Amino acid sequence: DVKVTQSSRYLVKRTGEKVFLECVQDMDHENMFWYRQDPGLGLRLIYFSYDVKMKEKGDIPEGYSVSREKKERFSLILESASTNQTSMYLCASSYPGFYEQYFGPGTRLTVT
Amino acid sequence: QKEVEQDPGPLSVPEGAIVSLNCTYSNSAFQYFMWYRQYSRKGPELLMYTYSSGNKEDGRFTAQVDKSSKYISLFIRDSQPSDSATYLCAMSGVDSNSGYALNFGKGTSLLVTP
C-alpha cells in the first residue's frame, strides 16, 4: 500500500512566522503535489514537482515556496505566515504517467 | 465556468438506499476520471479510477463516464452509515494545461442514516 505521511496533523503558528510542512512518501513516486483545502473552495493546487530539485507553480503559489531535495520528500514553506493561510494542507504523490494521486492525512494549520 | 462542477449537497439517505453522485465538466480533453472519498478531518482516499467512457464496478461502487455529455457518476448500492463522507470527483487529460495535476470538484457531502 502507498503511504504518504505528513509531519504534523495540527499546527498553530503566529503571523509572520516561517512555517515548514513536510511530506514523505514510501512508494518511489516521482510526482508530488501540495494542495490546500478550504470550505466552499475545494482543493486548490499550490505547487507540484516531477522530480528531485524540480518544481512547478500550481494555481495559487503566492506566499508559498517548496523544496524537493530527495525523491521521497516534498516540503511546503510559508515564508511569512498570514491568517489567510489558515487551512487544511494536503500532500499527494503519484507515479509518472499515472493520474491517480495518493494523499496524506493532511495538516490543519491555524495562523493566529 | 469552472472546469468541474459538483453539487455540494448535503445529501441524506437512509441505510440501504442507492446513492447517485455526479459531476459535470467542460474540458473535452479530460480522459482520466477518479472518485475520492474523504472522511472528516482526513485526507482523500482513492475509491475508483476510470479511463475514457464506460462503466467500472468495484463491490458496491459503480463509476460511470459519459464523455459525450461530459458527465460522470458514482453509484453506491446498499449504502451503509460508514459511507458517510465527502465524495470528490477528479479528472485530467494529456492535453490539460497542468500535466498530471488533477482538476477536482468541490465535493458532495453524503450522510447515510441508520
Side-chain angles (χ1 to χ4, degrees):
Chain A
D1 274 356
V2 176
K3 192 162 183 188
V4 180
T5 57
Q6 294 184 230
S7 50
S8 307
R9 291 300 309 276
Y10 299 94
L11 210 52
V12 180
K13 295 290 181 182
R14 293 196 179 276
T15 301
E17 277 193 83
K18 191 168 186 176
V19 181
F20 293 87
L21 303 181
E22 301 265 302
C23 174
V24 178
Q25 48 92 6
D26 67 356
M27 284 301 293
D28 205 34
H29 285 172
E30 249 116 26
N31 302 334
M32 295 189 75
F33 306 83
W34 275 106
Y35 296 88
R36 63 178 282 177
Q37 186 176 34
D38 301 286
L41 296 176
L43 277 156
R44 292 180 291 167
L45 181 64
I46 305 171
Y47 268 96
F48 58 101
S49 169
Y50 291 151
D51 205 347
V52 175
K53 297 194 186 295
M54 180 272 172
K55 61 186 178 186
E56 293 282 346
K57 291 180 181 178
D59 300 319
I60 52 162
E62 297 78 19
Y64 303 94
S65 62
V66 290
S67 171
R68 189 145 181 223
E69 297 295 321
K70 292 185 177 181
K71 191 175 185 180
E72 67 271 17
R73 190 180 296 269
F74 192 33
S75 302
L76 180 70
I77 303 154
L78 287 65
E79 295 288 342
S80 177
S82 64
T83 54
N84 63 11
Q85 293 178 310
T86 291
S87 186
M88 171 75 138
Y89 288 88
L90 290 159
C91 174
S93 69
S94 70
Y95 285 113
F98 287 84
Y99 288 88
E100 312 101 282
Q101 292 180 18
Y102 296 89
F103 283 83
T107 295
R108 188 165 292 275
L109 172 67
T110 302
V111 182
T112 61
Chain B
Q1 183 190 4
K2 295 283 185 186
E3 282 203 300
V4 182
E5 299 277 2
Q6 185 176 11
D7 188 331
L11 180 62
S12 182
V13 301
E15 184 176 355
I18 296 175
V19 176
S20 172
L21 303 166
N22 311 293
C23 288
T24 59
Y25 63 95
S26 58
N27 190 337
S28 57
F30 290 156
Q31 299 177 69
Y32 303 89
F33 303 93
M34 278 140 276
W35 285 96
Y36 286 84
R37 177 175 62 195
Q38 186 176 22
Y39 291 115
S40 181
R41 300 185 181 275
K42 305 278 188 184
E45 166 196 11
L46 182 64
L47 206 54
M48 299 283 283
Y49 169 83
T50 52
Y51 170 70
S52 196
S53 283
N55 291 1
K56 184 174 183 178
E57 191 173 317
D58 183 2
R60 296 185 296 111
F61 298 89
T62 299
Q64 199 171 76
V65 175
D66 181 349
K67 288 191 72 182
S68 62
S69 302
K70 298 192 181 69
Y71 189 86
I72 70 170
S73 301
L74 178 70
F75 298 96
I76 307 174
R77 289 185 300 281
D78 187 25
S79 56
Q80 303 295 308
S82 58
D83 295 327
S84 299
T86 297
Y87 290 81
L88 302 157
C89 64
M91 50 197 79
S92 192
V94 292
D95 294 328
S96 61
N97 292 335
S98 52
Y100 294 113
L102 294 173
N103 296 271
F104 284 89
K106 291 182 180 178
T108 299
S109 176
L110 172 67
L111 177 65
V112 181
T113 55

